[in-house]
Amino acid sequence: QVQLVESGGGLVQAGASLRLSCATSGSFFSIYAMGWFRQAPGKEREFVAGITWSASSSYYADSVKARVTISRANAENTVYLQINSLKPEDTAVYYCAARRQWNTGSKFYTWNEYDYWGQGTQVTVSS
């Protein structure tokens, strides 16, 4: 089992930056990759960014890649999501997720290929 705990969300003004954290515990050695997703009220879950546990590969949604950086701190077993130039449309609950497998044809953005999810952290951006 893997436990994921997100933090770092909050209420900020447009143009600000936030760094979200996802602390992992448990059998993190079984993790192949991590992902960040978000879900706004009334909207579907949306992929934001993903990174392999080794941090050798990362992938971003086109809609945010100019403003977002995903990274992993080895010593802390923590994955970060840096979001710059926040916009009101970034308002959502942000979730981190972990997956154990990667098969031929797998994609970072396929949410149902992730095995573990955190409880989410709310990001609210005011205009």
Side-chain angles (χ1 to χ4, degrees), residues 54-118:
S54 66
S56 62
S57 179
S58 60
Y59 185 81
Y60 297 90
D62 287 341
S63 60
V64 299
K65 64 182 178 181
R67 302 184 291 116
V68 167
T69 302
I70 189 170
S71 61
R72 191 177 86 79
N74 288 341
E76 302 169 2
N77 293 321
T78 300
V79 176
Y80 299 100
L81 185 71
Q82 177 75 33
I83 315 174
N84 300 321
S85 302
L86 280 156
K87 305 175 182 180
E89 50 264 44
D90 293 319
T91 295
V93 177
Y94 284 71
Y95 298 93
C96 72
R99 59 191 296 169
R100 294 172 296 176
Q101 294 183 331
W102 189 273
N103 303 312
T104 302
S106 288
K107 306 293 183 185
F108 274 110
Y109 52 75
T110 308
W111 68 268
N112 60 4
E113 292 185 359
Y114 287 79
D115 303 290
Y116 305 101
W117 292 81

Side-chain angles (χ1 to χ4, degrees), residues 41-55:
K43 295 188 176 180
E44 293 185 352
R45 188 172 347 196
E46 176 186 22
F47 170 78
V48 178
I51 190 168
T52 53
W53 190 249
S54 66

Side-chain angles (χ1 to χ4, degrees), residues 26-48:
S27 303
F28 54 81
F29 54 84
S30 67
I31 298 173
Y32 181 88
M34 301 286 294
W36 282 96
F37 293 78
R38 66 185 182 184
Q39 189 164 20
K43 295 188 176 180
E44 293 185 352
R45 188 172 347 196
E46 176 186 22
F47 170 78
V48 178

